[in-house]
Amino acid sequence: MRVVTVVLLVVPALALEATKQLDGNYTELSDLFPELADLNSTHKPTTHPLLGGMKLSYCCFTAFNNGLTLTNGSLAISNPNFFSPGTTASDILQADQFPCTAVYNGNHSGAPVVRSSFKWCNEQCPGWQISQPKKIQQWIGPMVAFIFPCLVFCLSIPRRRKLEVSDRLFMPRLDNTWSFFMTPLRFLVAAAIVLTDTIIWLCLCFAFAGPMILSGVFEAFLDSRILDFVHRGLDRGMLDKNLATRLLYIILVGNLDFQSNSVDEEAEEDPWNDLERLLQEPHPSTRLPSMLDTQTAFGSAVGVPIVFFAGGFLYTLFDILSNLGNNDIAHALAFGMWWMTIPHVAIISSLLLAGNNPSTFQSAVSTPTITHPPVLKLFALSFRSRYKTQWMWFRGRSKSLWLQRLVSTPPRTLDSKSPSPSPPPSQLSSLRTHTTLTLRTWLKILLLTILPIFIPFLLAFLTSYFTPQKGLSCRSLTFLLYFLTQTLQISLWVWVLSSCTLCPSLEKIHTPTRHTLSTRWNLFRCIAFWTLASLFGIASIFTAIGGTIMQLVGVYRNCLCALPVWYWSGRYADDSEAYVNLSTDSAAVIMAAHTWWVRTGAVAVGFLCLSTYWGWWYQRRLRGIFREVAESIEGVGGGEIDLNVPRQTRNGSVAALTDNPRLIKRRRRTRAEIEAARALTDNPPPPPPPPLPAVKEPLAPTTPLLPAIEEPLTPTILLAALVPADNSPLLSPAPL
């Protein structure tokens, strides 16, 4: 009975309390909303707005306070412009959380929207808001989840130079106490140099991702064309083994920088001349499989890091689903998908067959190392070797120049005692035709180049574009400008790759990047290229690196970046429809998170894994073909093929050249068969004895023929007939 009485008294009291909130006798808004107490002293910024002192929470508190009033002790909306259309005082009172500090709690309806005009926001809250140290989703979260893992991928991207770490930092004297205690300082200096060098290279890889991917795809197409040419030629017996070996070496060392002006004179560090010496040695093709196997495999270089990166990305994606309604998380996810461009660059650079370390080829040719001085005493070569590797954005052009040098100039004779056989002109003509890229091939190259840049850009753009306030703003505009600058850089590099030629007569490389001809057109195109390249490069660096820094620091957290760009021109007008959302955890933000966050993140991870598998499959396939072709070459030589002699295929069958050549089913030779063939080549069997001279007329008998015997002879008669009458000894038979 007492329980029933308590219930009957409590329920009406709660109802009275609810109605009291709507029609109470309140004197200040802080009685209803304690967050508004001491507004100016608690939430007002203390730092200069231009130094990041702006506070969006203070703007939201101020707008919320200015939009409400108390009428006869009851809550009422005084200025509906500070709230979304249709919002009533009852909606504000019945909200679960305060709009300016609301977080996602599982309620999809969210908190009421507090907004203001741009003019009011710019007057009350000028400047920008620096990222708060306690809110890790604003700065340290994106760095650890998305940007720092990209440092691992940029280390596998080939480059020519790096910041030099002096050997003096690693030579402390143990007998000197002062030098020994300076070891920690030396370590910190060395670590700072390496970290600075890695960050600089990461920024360059991101800013020039388009030319890097284009050069890698171009080189991959050349490798595929060369291998197809060698494979078909050896299968049909129509390719000189010397030329086949030469082409396989070009695939592995085509990224090395050769001296373009050393066609007629020997250069000390020209890998082309060292390759000529190597081809004069017996069986130079035996080094090819070993050189290929010394390179880092695709799985260990990129495959395993991609697995961990994708796993961490998925964990971060599902973890942020518990923090829906926060725009900072949405934009951090967008920048993370945007930075997925770096892993795609690493995938393209790791699927190539040419190694990054030139010391492999130096060991094969047994040449000493040459010390190259650092540029400006700061930037040394990436590898201490005799040769110089090309930058990633010039590797495709380098391999194309190696092919042009082979096709246009026959190999030089470096030693008169063992001249290097020249490739047959007909086969060089076929090689030129086979490696010439058509318009259809260029379209394929452009498609494979654009996709690794377009997909991350599109996913990041959609995430930021549809995050309220929906529209093209600072972050989505950054993604768009980056994609445009990369597209323009790709167009410039297509011009360079398609118009780069090697002139053997002038011993110069003709390319838009060099002024090698004293003509007005050459000077104009050189100036035009470097002007456009500088303009596009600076714009790309600003959008890629500057945009990322501004997002992490918080520069994009201001009133202007909260507006779509189509409102920027008339944002100061009194009747402008440009409004800035100031509150958090709105229903529109929660809906956008469910619609775009999970889907775009899943597509980004799926596309990255698909690209990884494609690169892995492509490299494994080409490595297998390369190894099989290299092991099938027993020696170097052959010269021009005689069209009157039947050809012998790799599997031993003989077919006439007049027959229609067709592919013959390959049979991989065993190691024992290859060694036996090499031994037969090194130790040929002795020549057969000369044939006996032909007898022109019959020889005269030396003894008279025996008389014919009409009746059969008995043994006694036979012996008597064989004994001479004068009992002289028998004549010894003439040797046969």
Side-chain angles (χ1 to χ4, degrees):
M1 187 65 183
R2 292 181 179 179
V3 176
V4 176
T5 305
V6 171
V7 172
L8 293 176
L9 292 175
V10 171
V11 172
L14 294 175
L16 182 61
E17 180 68 16
T19 58
K20 183 179 178 182
Q21 291 182 0
L22 294 174
D23 301 322
N25 296 322
Y26 299 104
T27 57
E28 294 181 357
L29 291 176
S30 59
D31 297 337
L32 284 171
F33 307 102
E35 293 84 359
L36 298 179
D38 300 329
L39 176 61
N40 293 328
S41 60
T42 305
H43 301 284
K44 191 173 182 179
T46 57
T47 310
H48 195 278
L50 297 180
L51 299 178
M54 172 193 174
K55 287 187 177 180
L56 286 175
S57 59
Y58 174 75
C59 298
C60 183
F61 284 130
T62 306
F64 186 82
N65 186 64
N66 295 344
L68 297 177
T69 186
L70 294 175
T71 304
N72 297 328
S74 301
L75 183 66
I77 295 180
S78 61
N79 190 350
N81 292 328
F82 288 104
F83 302 96
S84 60
T87 303
T88 61
S90 177
D91 297 334
I92 297 175
L93 290 174
Q94 294 176 0
D96 297 338
Q97 304 180 67
F98 188 69
C100 299
T101 58
V103 293
Y104 181 71
N105 58 0
N107 186 7
H108 293 330
S109 59
V113 177
V114 180
R115 65 177 189 173
S116 69
S117 63
F118 173 81
K119 184 177 180 180
W120 183 92
C121 181
N122 189 60
E123 292 175 355
Q124 298 296 326
C125 307
W128 54 280
Q129 178 180 342
I130 194 171
S131 298
Q132 302 178 17
K134 295 183 179 180
K135 295 184 177 181
I136 61 174
Q137 70 272 12
Q138 293 183 353
W139 62 286
I140 192 64
M143 290 178 63
V144 174
F146 309 120
I147 298 179
F148 283 169
C150 294
L151 293 174
V152 180
F153 295 104
C154 75
L155 297 179
S156 62
I157 300 175
R159 56 174 171 168
R160 189 185 185 109
R161 296 190 178 272
K162 62 180 180 180
L163 282 177
E164 184 181 19
V165 181
S166 177
D167 294 335
R168 298 179 180 177
L169 298 175
F170 299 92
M171 298 174 60
R173 295 180 56 185
L174 299 180
D175 58 343
N176 191 332
T177 306
W178 174 255
S179 177
F180 178 78
F181 282 103
M182 288 294 292
T183 301
L185 181 59
R186 297 171 188 266
F187 169 75
L188 293 178
V189 173
I193 294 175
V194 173
L195 181 61
T196 304
D197 174 71
T198 306
I199 293 176
I200 292 176
W201 180 237
L202 176 65
C203 297
L204 290 177
C205 291
F206 195 30
F208 297 95
M212 287 184 176
I213 295 177
L214 174 64
S215 181
V217 174
F218 181 76
E219 182 179 354
F221 266 78
L222 289 181
D223 290 344
S224 180
R225 290 292 183 91
I226 295 173
L227 270 182
D228 181 71
F229 177 79
V230 175
H231 183 253
R232 289 174 179 268
L234 292 179
D235 273 344
R236 299 175 180 179
M238 300 291 293
L239 184 62
D240 178 35
K241 293 182 179 180
N242 184 283
L243 179 59
T245 307
R246 226 178 268 275
L247 291 174
L248 294 183
Y249 271 107
I250 288 179
I251 292 178
L252 296 183
V253 301
N255 60 326
L256 301 182
D257 188 11
F258 66 82
Q259 303 292 331
S260 60
N261 56 353
S262 61
V263 178
D264 295 328
E265 59 183 25
E266 180 179 352
E268 185 180 7
E269 55 194 44
D270 190 2
W272 181 274
N273 297 332
D274 294 336
L275 178 59
E276 289 296 319
R277 298 187 186 93
L278 177 61
L279 292 176
Q280 295 177 18
E281 299 179 4
H283 309 298
S285 61
T286 56
R287 297 176 174 87
L288 290 170
S290 301
M291 291 180 61
L292 182 67
D293 293 336
T294 55
Q295 301 174 13
T296 306
F298 184 90
S300 58
V302 177
V304 176
I306 287 290
V307 172
F308 286 100
F309 179 79
F313 193 93
L314 288 177
Y315 173 80
T316 305
L317 178 64
F318 287 106
D319 181 63
I320 64 179
L321 291 179
S322 59
N323 296 320
L324 301 180
N326 192 337
N327 287 358
D328 291 331
I329 296 178
H331 296 307
L333 177 63
F335 274 80
M337 292 184 291
W338 184 40
W339 273 81
M340 278 190 176
T341 306
I342 299 296
H344 286 95
V345 178
I347 290 172
I348 297 298
S349 63
S350 299
L351 62 85
L352 303 175
L353 297 182
N356 301 334
N357 193 345
S359 301
T360 304
F361 180 66
Q362 181 179 345
S363 301
V365 297
S366 301
T367 53
T369 302
I370 298 178
T371 303
H372 300 275
V375 176
L376 301 177
K377 297 182 179 181
L378 292 175
F379 301 97
L381 292 177
S382 299
F383 300 95
R384 293 185 178 181
S385 176
R386 179 185 182 89
Y387 312 110
K388 301 177 182 179
T389 57
Q390 286 285 354
W391 294 98
M392 181 60 195
W393 46 72
F394 282 144
R395 283 191 49 162
R397 186 189 69 173
S398 176
K399 185 157 292 187
S400 176
L401 291 175
W402 276 76
L403 284 176
Q404 292 185 32
R405 185 170 182 177
L406 174 62
V407 172
S408 59
T409 58
R412 300 185 293 116
T413 301
L414 301 179
D415 189 359
S416 58
K417 296 181 180 180
S418 57
S420 177
S422 301
S426 59
Q427 298 181 19
L428 292 179
S429 178
S430 301
L431 174 64
R432 183 188 295 107
T433 304
H434 197 78
T435 55
T436 301
L437 303 183
T438 60
L439 178 60
R440 184 178 179 181
T441 306
W442 276 109
L443 292 178
K444 294 179 181 179
I445 293 176
L446 289 178
L447 178 62
L448 295 177
T449 303
I450 292 295
L451 278 180
I453 300 177
F454 176 74
I455 298 300
F457 148 74
L458 180 63
L459 298 175
F461 179 83
L462 292 177
T463 302
S464 288
Y465 184 90
F466 287 100
T467 297
Q469 187 172 343
K470 184 175 69 174
L472 183 65
S473 191
C474 294
R475 299 172 180 87
S476 54
L477 186 61
T478 300
F479 303 147
L480 181 60
L481 291 178
Y482 174 80
F483 178 73
L484 293 178
T485 54
Q486 295 302 312
T487 304
L488 293 174
Q489 288 188 78
I490 289 174
S491 63
L492 278 181
W493 254 255
V494 169
W495 179 28
V496 171
L497 294 176
S498 60
S499 60
C500 182
T501 57
L502 179 65
C503 182
S505 59
L506 298 178
E507 306 175 2
K508 292 182 179 180
I509 298 175
H510 299 321
T511 174
T513 60
R514 299 184 182 183
H515 178 51
T516 54
L517 293 176
S518 57
T519 59
R520 292 184 178 180
W521 164 245
N522 185 264
L523 178 62
F524 172 76
R525 74 170 187 173
C526 184
I527 295 176
F529 172 81
W530 286 111
T531 301
L532 295 177
S534 302
L535 180 62
F536 299 156
I538 293 174
S540 180
I541 293 175
F542 176 76
T543 55
I545 310 306
T548 302
I549 293 176
M550 287 189 288
Q551 168 63 20
L552 296 177
V553 174
V555 179
Y556 285 156
R557 210 172 289 115
N558 57 68
C559 297
L560 181 63
C561 291
L563 286 180
V565 294
W566 42 79
Y567 291 134
W568 286 5
S569 59
R571 59 185 182 274
Y572 291 105
D574 295 334
D575 57 346
S576 176
E577 297 180 356
Y579 287 94
V580 178
N581 292 334
L582 302 175
S583 60
T584 59
D585 193 42
S586 63
V589 175
I590 296 175
M591 183 179 296
H594 279 287
T595 305
W596 295 103
W597 290 12
V598 179
R599 295 180 182 178
T600 55
V603 171
V605 174
F607 180 73
L608 180 63
C609 295
L610 182 63
S611 301
T612 305
Y613 176 76
W614 174 82
W616 205 341
W617 168 84
Y618 175 84
Q619 196 204 50
R620 289 288 296 269
R621 174 180 172 272
L622 257 66
R623 276 177 173 248
I625 297 176
F626 184 95
R627 188 176 293 106
E628 181 179 354
V629 172
E631 291 179 352
S632 65
I633 302 177
E634 294 93 3
V636 177
E640 186 74 42
I641 297 179
D642 190 359
L643 298 179
N644 298 321
V645 179
R647 59 187 176 93
Q648 185 176 7
T649 58
R650 289 168 54 192
N651 62 356
S653 61
V654 177
L657 286 175
T658 55
D659 296 340
N660 186 18
R662 57 184 180 87
L663 292 177
I664 303 174
K665 185 177 181 180
R666 293 174 291 163
R667 183 181 66 87
R668 187 168 183 174
R669 299 188 179 185
T670 62
R671 180 72 63 178
E673 292 177 346
I674 296 176
E675 294 297 334
R678 291 171 183 165
L680 185 62
T681 305
D682 294 335
N683 302 315
L692 297 176
V695 180
K696 298 182 180 179
E697 53 185 11
L699 298 177
T702 56
T703 57
L705 297 177
L706 295 177
I709 300 176
E710 298 180 356
E711 56 183 8
L713 298 177
T714 61
T716 305
I717 299 175
L718 178 61
L719 292 176
L722 292 177
V723 175
D726 56 356
N727 296 326
S728 61
L730 294 173
L731 296 175
S732 60
L736 296 177

